[in-house]
Amino acid sequence: FKKMNDAVKKWTGELNLGEKIEINAVVEKLCQAFNSSPFFQHNAMQMRVVDGQLQAYVAMQPHLIGNMQYQILHGGSTATILDSVGGIVAMVELYKRATKENFEQVSMQVARVATLDIRVDYLKPGRGQYFIATAEALRMGRKGCTMRMNIANDEGKPIATGIASYAY
């Protein structure tokens, strides 16, 4: 249990909860935690909040290309981006339901978020200078959720969509 509390503090830092949970501060802490991840840095992935919505921003990099002739984003990279944004938005949705009284318990759920299943539909070749992925909750349950994710290129053209189930 002590180990889990330490893990929770890594996600949330030392937030002053006050009377009400400030969800924007929690989301910023999540973004900071993921943006400092070596995996996210290697994949040029950055979580950010734009117009109140969390999104993944990925700049095209040579190591993300799957088709060298056409310079197309690798399908595995696309799936990784969708899975990442889906899981992190699921974490945000969990925190939105938190109260001051159950914040630590919800934080432990957040620390356990794991992908159970993901389906990706590739709509167009992944061409672009950068890609933006977003997610929305379709269902939030007691032990898991279902998320819908979308990724588009720098021209706003949809590249892929996905649906995933996450346990917590």
Side-chain angles (χ1 to χ4, degrees):
F1 191 72
K2 167 90 171 91
K3 206 174 203 180
M4 186 63 84
N5 281 339
D6 291 343
V8 167
K9 286 198 178 8
K10 285 182 183 177
W11 290 112
T12 60
E14 296 296 329
L15 289 170
N16 180 5
L17 296 178
E19 290 302 310
K20 182 180 165 196
I21 294 171
E22 179 52 51
I23 192 65
N24 294 334
V26 174
V27 172
E28 284 300 321
K29 289 284 188 181
L30 280 172
C31 287
Q32 289 171 11
F34 280 100
N35 289 343
S36 66
S37 158
F39 180 77
F40 275 47
Q41 290 175 1
H42 172 75
N43 288 301
M45 191 175 349
Q46 186 177 42
M47 292 297 152
R48 61 188 190 179
V49 179
V50 176
D51 297 329
Q53 182 181 31
L54 188 128
Q55 59 179 221
Y57 172 88
V58 180
M60 179 60 106
Q61 301 287 319
H63 66 275
L64 300 177
I65 294 172
N67 184 318
M68 295 304 289
Q69 182 174 354
Y70 295 105
Q71 301 291 295
I72 296 170
L73 185 67
H74 190 283
S77 297
T78 303
T80 297
I81 297 163
L82 290 173
D83 185 29
S84 296
V85 76
I88 297 168
V89 171
M91 293 174 178
V92 170
E93 292 299 320
L94 283 168
Y95 275 127
K96 284 181 181 177
R97 301 186 323 180
T99 64
K100 182 179 176 182
E101 292 75 29
N102 73 356
F103 185 80
E104 193 167 323
Q105 179 184 357
V106 169
S107 292
M108 287 188 287
Q109 281 184 306
V110 166
R112 291 189 306 257
V113 168
T115 308
L116 292 176
D117 184 54
I118 185 168
R119 175 193 163 91
V120 177
D121 291 314
Y122 299 94
L123 306 173
K124 290 187 178 177
R127 291 188 184 95
Q129 299 297 308
Y130 64 85
F131 304 92
I132 306 264
T134 58
E136 66 176 322
L138 297 179
R139 180 186 173 280
M140 296 295 293
R142 279 189 18 242
K143 295 183 179 185
C145 63
T146 304
M147 306 296 290
R148 175 182 296 137
M149 302 84 65
N150 296 295
I151 185 169
N153 66 9
D154 55 326
E155 296 175 0
K157 293 181 181 174
I159 300 302
T161 187
I163 291 186
S165 298
Y166 299 89
Y168 37 82

